[in-house]
Amino acid sequence: MRILVASDTHHDFHALKRAVECQPSAEIVIHLGDGADDAEDVKYLFPQKMFLQVRGNCDWGSVLPYQGEYILNKKTIFYTHGHIYQVKYGLETFIAAARDRHADIALFGHTHDPMTDYRDGLYLMNPGSLSGSDGTYGILDITPAGIVTNILKLR
């Protein structure tokens, strides 16, 4: 199963739309906040895809939750924007929250810095910011053979 992971679109609806179009095999889109309205608008264009969303620190007035969990193929995905875990100052609090939830995969945004990592059984991903000319997004593949994370530049 392929999952597209996006964050920090900051009103760049077209970038999110292009990312979804570039990944037709992605059945799920997870938007990690700071662009909740973008994700709401794009999901109506792709009714066949499941959209999971959280709000970020710039999603003023949003009623979306700050974090979410989703289980897929017996793997727990924990996702959040990251600001409530102060990810700009380190990942320790965020990783502890993911481990408390027995997550296999932990997704966050907020820093605009794309990264993937693996720490003692926990896959980490920040897809970066999809906004602007240097926009990036993440791909998460969960298969019987394992988990693969990738960061892609929007073209």
Coordinates of all heavy atoms in Angstrom, one line a residue, residues 7-16 18 34 38 112 128-137 152-155:
S7 N 2.9 18.0 3.9 CA 2.8 18.9 5.0 C 3.1 20.3 4.5 O 3.8 20.5 3.5 CB 3.8 18.5 6.1 OG 3.6 19.2 7.3
D8 N 2.7 21.2 5.3 CA 3.1 22.6 5.1 C 2.9 23.1 3.7 O 3.8 23.7 3.1 CB 4.5 22.8 5.6 CG 4.7 22.5 7.1 OD1 4.4 23.4 7.9 OD2 5.0 21.4 7.4
T9 N 1.7 22.9 3.2 CA 1.3 23.4 1.8 C 1.1 24.9 1.9 O 1.2 25.5 0.8 CB 0.1 22.6 1.3 OG1 -0.9 22.6 2.2 CG2 0.5 21.2 0.9
H10 N 0.7 25.4 3.0 CA 0.5 26.9 3.1 C -0.2 27.6 2.0 O 0.3 28.5 1.3 CB 1.9 27.6 3.4 CG 2.5 27.2 4.7 ND1 2.1 27.6 5.9 CD2 3.5 26.3 4.9 CE1 2.8 27.1 6.9 NE2 3.7 26.3 6.3
H11 N -1.4 27.1 1.7 CA -2.3 27.6 0.7 C -1.8 27.4 -0.8 O -2.3 28.0 -1.7 CB -2.5 29.2 0.9 CG -3.0 29.5 2.2 ND1 -4.3 29.2 2.7 CD2 -2.4 30.1 3.3 CE1 -4.4 29.6 3.9 NE2 -3.3 30.1 4.3
D12 N -0.9 26.4 -0.9 CA -0.5 26.0 -2.3 C -1.3 24.8 -2.7 O -0.8 23.7 -2.8 CB 1.0 25.7 -2.3 CG 1.5 25.7 -3.8 OD1 0.7 25.6 -4.7 OD2 2.8 25.9 -3.9
F13 N -2.6 25.0 -3.0 CA -3.5 24.0 -3.4 C -3.0 23.2 -4.6 O -3.1 22.0 -4.7 CB -4.9 24.6 -3.7 CG -5.8 23.8 -4.6 CD1 -6.7 22.9 -4.0 CD2 -5.8 24.0 -6.0 CE1 -7.5 22.2 -4.8 CE2 -6.7 23.3 -6.8 CZ -7.5 22.4 -6.2
H14 N -2.4 24.0 -5.6 CA -2.0 23.4 -6.8 C -0.8 22.4 -6.6 O -0.7 21.4 -7.3 CB -1.6 24.5 -7.8 CG -2.8 25.3 -8.2 ND1 -3.8 24.8 -9.0 CD2 -3.2 26.5 -7.9 CE1 -4.7 25.7 -9.2 NE2 -4.4 26.8 -8.5
A15 N 0.1 22.7 -5.7 CA 1.2 21.8 -5.4 C 0.7 20.5 -4.8 O 1.1 19.4 -5.2 CB 2.2 22.5 -4.4
L16 N -0.3 20.6 -3.9 CA -0.8 19.3 -3.3 C -1.6 18.5 -4.4 O -1.4 17.3 -4.5 CB -1.8 19.7 -2.2 CG -2.4 18.5 -1.5 CD1 -1.3 17.5 -1.0 CD2 -3.3 18.9 -0.3
R18 N -0.9 18.5 -7.6 CA 0.1 17.9 -8.5 C 0.7 16.7 -7.8 O 1.0 15.7 -8.5 CB 1.1 18.9 -8.9 CG 0.8 19.8 -10.0 CD 2.0 20.5 -10.6 NE 3.0 20.9 -9.7 CZ 3.3 22.1 -9.3 NH1 2.7 23.1 -9.8 NH2 4.3 22.3 -8.4
D34 N -0.8 22.7 8.5 CA -0.4 24.0 7.8 C -0.8 24.0 6.4 O 0.1 24.1 5.5 CB 1.0 24.3 8.1 CG 1.3 24.9 9.4 OD1 0.3 25.0 10.2 OD2 2.4 25.3 9.7
D38 N -6.2 23.3 2.1 CA -5.7 22.8 0.8 C -6.1 21.3 0.7 O -6.6 20.9 -0.3 CB -4.2 22.9 0.7 CG -3.7 24.3 0.9 OD1 -4.4 25.2 0.5 OD2 -2.6 24.5 1.4
H112 N 9.7 22.1 7.9 CA 10.0 22.3 6.5 C 11.2 21.6 6.0 O 11.6 21.7 4.8 CB 10.0 23.8 6.1 CG 8.7 24.5 6.3 ND1 8.4 25.6 5.6 CD2 7.7 24.3 7.1 CE1 7.2 26.1 6.0 NE2 6.8 25.3 6.9
G128 N 8.8 17.5 4.6 CA 9.2 18.8 4.2 C 8.0 19.6 3.9 O 6.9 19.3 4.3
S129 N 8.2 20.7 3.2 CA 7.1 21.6 2.8 C 6.8 21.4 1.4 O 7.8 21.5 0.5 CB 7.5 23.1 3.1 OG 6.5 23.9 2.6
L130 N 5.6 21.3 1.0 CA 5.2 21.1 -0.4 C 5.0 22.5 -1.0 O 4.8 22.5 -2.2 CB 3.9 20.3 -0.4 CG 3.4 19.7 -1.8 CD1 4.6 19.0 -2.5 CD2 2.3 18.8 -1.6
S131 N 5.0 23.5 -0.3 CA 4.8 24.9 -0.8 C 6.0 25.4 -1.5 O 7.2 25.2 -1.1 CB 4.4 25.8 0.3 OG 4.3 27.1 -0.1
G132 N 5.8 26.1 -2.7 CA 6.9 26.8 -3.3 C 7.6 25.9 -4.4 O 7.3 24.8 -4.6
S133 N 8.6 26.5 -5.0 CA 9.3 25.9 -6.1 C 10.2 24.7 -5.6 O 10.6 23.9 -6.5 CB 10.2 26.9 -6.8 OG 11.1 27.5 -6.0
D134 N 10.6 24.7 -4.4 CA 11.4 23.6 -3.9 C 10.6 22.6 -3.1 O 11.1 21.9 -2.2 CB 12.5 24.1 -3.0 CG 13.6 24.9 -3.8 OD1 13.8 24.5 -5.0 OD2 14.2 25.8 -3.3
G135 N 9.3 22.5 -3.4 CA 8.4 21.6 -2.6 C 8.8 20.1 -2.6 O 9.2 19.6 -3.6
T136 N 8.6 19.5 -1.5 CA 8.8 18.1 -1.3 C 7.7 17.4 -0.7 O 6.9 18.1 0.0 CB 10.1 17.8 -0.5 OG1 10.0 18.4 0.8 CG2 11.4 18.3 -1.2
Y137 N 7.6 16.1 -0.9 CA 6.5 15.3 -0.2 C 7.1 13.9 0.0 O 8.2 13.6 -0.5 CB 5.2 15.2 -1.0 CG 5.4 14.6 -2.4 CD1 5.1 13.3 -2.6 CD2 5.7 15.3 -3.5 CE1 5.2 12.7 -3.8 CE2 5.8 14.8 -4.8 CZ 5.5 13.4 -4.9 OH 5.6 12.8 -6.1
L152 N 10.4 12.9 -2.1 CA 10.4 13.3 -3.5 C 10.2 14.8 -3.7 O 9.5 15.4 -2.9 CB 9.3 12.5 -4.3 CG 9.4 11.0 -4.3 CD1 8.1 10.4 -5.0 CD2 10.6 10.5 -4.9
K153 N 10.9 15.3 -4.7 CA 10.7 16.7 -5.0 C 9.6 16.8 -6.0 O 9.5 16.1 -7.0 CB 12.0 17.3 -5.7 CG 12.0 18.7 -6.0 CD 13.4 19.2 -6.3 CE 13.4 20.6 -6.8 NZ 12.6 21.6 -6.1
L154 N 8.7 17.8 -5.8 CA 7.6 18.0 -6.7 C 8.1 18.6 -8.0 O 8.9 19.5 -8.1 CB 6.6 19.0 -6.1 CG 5.3 19.2 -6.9 CD1 4.5 17.9 -6.9 CD2 4.5 20.3 -6.2
R155 N 7.6 18.0 -9.1 CA 8.1 18.4 -10.4 C 6.9 19.1 -11.2 O 5.9 18.8 -11.1 CB 8.6 17.3 -11.2 CG 9.8 16.7 -10.5 CD 10.3 15.4 -11.2 NE 11.3 14.8 -10.4 CZ 12.5 14.6 -10.7 NH1 12.9 15.0 -11.9 NH2 13.3 14.1 -9.9

